Every structure is written in C-alpha cells, then in structure tokens.
Amino acid sequence: MLNLLHSALRRERLDSYAVNEAIELLCKIPFRSFGLLDPVAKRLALTLAAKQDLSAYNAAHLELAFRFNAVSKTNDQRLKNGPRAEALSL
C-alpha cells in the first residue's frame, strides 16, 4: 500500500495531507501480512522472475497468488497479461 501511496503522491494524484490520512486509515485495518519468509518461496519467486522476465517485486506478488491459489488483482499489465500457466511448472 505504501508503494501505491508513494506513486499517487509522486504523480500528484494525492497531496501529502491525503497520503497521511490514508496511512492513518490503513493503520486501523486489521490485516495479515504474508511475505517470502521461507527459502522455498524465495526460490520460487526468483525463478518466476527469471522465467517470466519480471521484477522481484512482481514475482513475489505472483508467488503469493500461486501459493494461496488466489486470483491476482493488479493494474500492472505485465502481470495481467504476461505470466502464464507454464510458470507453475517450475
């Protein structure tokens, strides 16, 4: 979420006051954070990055979707259109 807020601020879609308000609201939302904590997840993300020519950030996003058998929601066109089912057969 911080990357989203940073981009909105940089592109002048939000001012610093709105970004600070958004941060305050985000801090009130109970959520669980999932990361690349185990070595297998890290290796899978790096393999996805190499095979699909993705950034490590995007590969981590994709790895989480694969891990939880979830639909990846993103506005990133490379993630929407690029990674294919063969990425699963690593």
Side-chain angles (χ1 to χ4, degrees), residues 8-75:
L9 184 62
R10 190 181 67 227
R11 294 176 181 162
E12 298 181 358
R13 293 181 179 159
L14 294 175
D15 61 20
S16 59
Y17 179 80
V19 168
N20 286 324
E21 288 292 308
I23 290 170
E24 292 297 321
L25 287 172
L26 285 171
C27 288
K28 294 177 183 177
I29 299 172
F31 68 93
R32 289 178 55 194
S33 178
F34 297 94
L36 299 173
L37 300 179
D38 79 55
V40 173
K42 289 177 182 171
R43 287 185 191 102
L44 178 57
L46 288 175
T47 301
L48 286 168
K51 280 191 158 193
Q52 298 290 330
D53 192 28
L54 298 170
S55 68
Y57 177 87
N58 284 346
H61 179 99
L62 192 59
E63 186 279 331
L64 282 169
F66 288 161
R67 186 182 339 160
F68 292 101
N69 195 27
V71 175
S72 176
K73 296 292 186 183
T74 181
N75 284 326

